[in-house]
Amino acid sequence: MKQEEMSSEDNISTVKQFVLLGFSDLSNLQGFLSGAFSIIYIVILVGNCLIIVITRVDTALQKPMYFFLANFSSLEICYVSVIVPRILFNIWTQHRGISMLGCAVQMCFFLMFGTTESFLLAVMSYDRYVAICNPLQYPLVMNPAKYFQLAAGSWLVGIPIQVGQTCQIFSQDFCHSNKIEHFFCDIPPILKLACGDTAGHELSVYVVVVLVAAFPFMLVLASYSKIIATILRLPTAQGRAKAFSTCSSHLLVVVLFYGSASITYLRPKSTHSAGTDKVLSLFYTIVTPMFNPIIYSLRNKDVIAALKKLILKK
């Protein structure tokens, strides 16, 4: 395995390359990991592409809910494409070096797409809130201009925030090691390599997490508290079941994403361990995007009907 390690005599300013250790400690499982990640990546691409296609071609799905779902599927493709191809490259070539610029670019795009996902989940919960709690006003509130603006805002809001945060993190010196105990360039393992006191950087990370994750999560909780209260007041069991079915899949995705991401970024640096960080990161970077098409399609009768119609046409 090729690894370019930093010797103790190197000056901290000469660090130009990191080493992504990833799953190198599992030397006997490299073939299995290669196959597993390849299959997962294909499943994510195919599943999310199918959702994008059927929401575009089926007239019954030309609604704000499915417009946001298509955006979400597009985002998941971008999100995992920042991480998984690099994992596969490292496994296939056993060359784990990554330049400081390459590491910064990977982190920046990962954080931007993560921010987009956080706000898009909040927007999707707001859409369900209006549809269930104010159904008569739904066409007026969720008009085409409005849901285009909400989607565009979700995609754009993270760019200035995360570009600034990435520049701040990589403006510091690195002297402990150049070996990253992770499978991609994420904030916690990078901060471990920084020289001196990183309390200021950790504080800025907490502030950003509150802005781009905790705040949207509170909006999701507020929306679903009102949604659940409204559903429980519906007169028929059939109506309650239908309303719950349209929300439960989204709520499951919300719990998986926000839960694992919050635990990762809101823990103090001293409590981070490489193994725990890898497991938690797998949830919100790979596992959740893999299950999203399954969750949204198998629990949604409209999507299943559109998929059957598309298959029959072919």
Side-chain angles (χ1 to χ4, degrees), residues 211-286:
L211 288 174
V212 306
F215 177 66
F217 183 55
M218 295 303 293
L219 292 178
V220 172
L221 291 181
S223 297
Y224 272 98
S225 63
K226 292 186 175 292
I227 288 171
I228 292 171
T230 302
I231 290 174
L232 292 176
R233 291 198 299 267
L234 292 177
T236 65
Q238 184 179 3
R240 289 193 294 271
K242 183 178 180 181
F244 268 121
S245 68
T246 62
C247 298
S248 57
S249 57
H250 179 248
L251 197 55
L252 179 58
V253 172
V254 165
V255 171
L256 285 172
F257 176 76
Y258 284 112
S260 56
S262 297
I263 293 172
T264 298
Y265 290 104
L266 294 179
R267 286 182 300 149
K269 189 179 76 169
S270 58
T271 64
H272 283 268
S273 68
T276 304
D277 286 348
K278 287 179 187 178
V279 172
L280 289 171
S281 297
L282 281 173
F283 268 96
Y284 63 82
T285 59
I286 297 175

Side-chain angles (χ1 to χ4, degrees), residues 26 28 37 42 168 183 192 219 257:
L26 304 174
N28 295 329
F37 282 116
I42 292 171
Q168 181 193 35
F183 54 86
K192 280 186 175 182
L219 292 178
F257 176 76

